[in-house]
């Protein structure tokens, strides 16, 4: 099982495997352009919401900022509601390779794994999003 680091008040958790991959990818970016990992939720996809993982120069405005396994992570306030309790992992197998977001707020996920829905009251069942290589299991536009 992956080692997961959580910090009191942190919106998301990050596994050691995910942090290792993020640090390796950050090292490939031009100096100063990848100082933090931004984890966000945006509207879109066939499920209504999509995850966005990317690098940024730093926190802005009211972002929550914390460090997990040596990676500075930022989450904007609008995304924090949907990411509370989520864990970002990195998986690598014969069938898939990429980041996976295990999100307890996702009531359902699209067959392609690129989008998710939340329950109307905001409390959902266990759900996950995968970003990387893999099969698309529905007629989703992804």
């Amino acid at each position: 099982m992956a080692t997961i680091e959580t910090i009191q008040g942190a919106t998301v958790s990050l596994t050691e495997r995910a942090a290792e991959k993020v640090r390796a990818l950050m090292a490939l970016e031009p100096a100063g352009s990848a100082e933090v990992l931004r984890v966000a939720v945006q509207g879109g996809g066939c499920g209504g919401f999509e995850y966005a993982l990317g690098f940024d120069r730093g926190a802005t405005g009211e972002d929550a900022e914390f460090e997990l396994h040596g990676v500075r992570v930022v989450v904007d306030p609008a995304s924090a509601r949907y990411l509370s309790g989520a864990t970002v992992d990195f998986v690598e197998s014969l069938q898939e390779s990429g980041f996976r977001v295990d999100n307890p707020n996702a009531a359902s996920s699209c067959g392609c794994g690129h989008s998710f829905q939340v329950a109307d009251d905001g409390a959902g069942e266990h759900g996950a999003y995968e970003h990387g290589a893999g099969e698309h299991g529905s007629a989703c536009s992804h």
Side-chain angles (χ1 to χ4, degrees), residues 3-132:
T3 303
I4 302 171
E5 183 170 1
T6 57
I7 293 179
Q8 183 71 21
T11 306
V12 299
S13 299
L14 193 65
T15 67
E16 194 170 341
R17 276 191 308 249
E20 183 178 311
K21 186 64 173 181
V22 167
R23 287 191 306 268
L25 292 170
M26 283 179 152
L28 299 174
E29 297 294 316
S33 67
E35 299 298 315
V36 299
L37 172 66
R38 181 168 294 281
V39 182
V41 171
Q42 58 192 25
C46 53
F49 294 102
E50 305 182 287
Y51 297 99
L53 303 175
F55 299 132
D56 207 338
R57 295 178 185 275
T60 60
E62 298 177 8
D63 286 344
E65 183 175 6
F66 40 92
E67 187 169 320
L68 301 166
H69 294 294
V71 175
R72 288 177 49 215
V73 179
V74 296
V75 177
D76 66 86
S79 297
R81 173 180 179 224
Y82 302 105
L83 292 170
S84 181
T87 300
V88 178
D89 193 8
F90 184 78
V91 294
E92 196 163 29
S93 71
L94 290 173
Q95 291 186 300
E96 63 183 324
S97 177
F99 289 97
R100 174 180 172 87
V101 179
D102 186 8
N103 188 348
N105 303 299
S108 64
S109 297
C110 177
C112 73
H114 286 269
S115 62
F116 69 101
Q117 292 178 329
V118 293
D120 289 336
D121 63 357
E125 297 174 9
H126 184 75
Y129 158 84
E130 296 182 17
H131 184 279

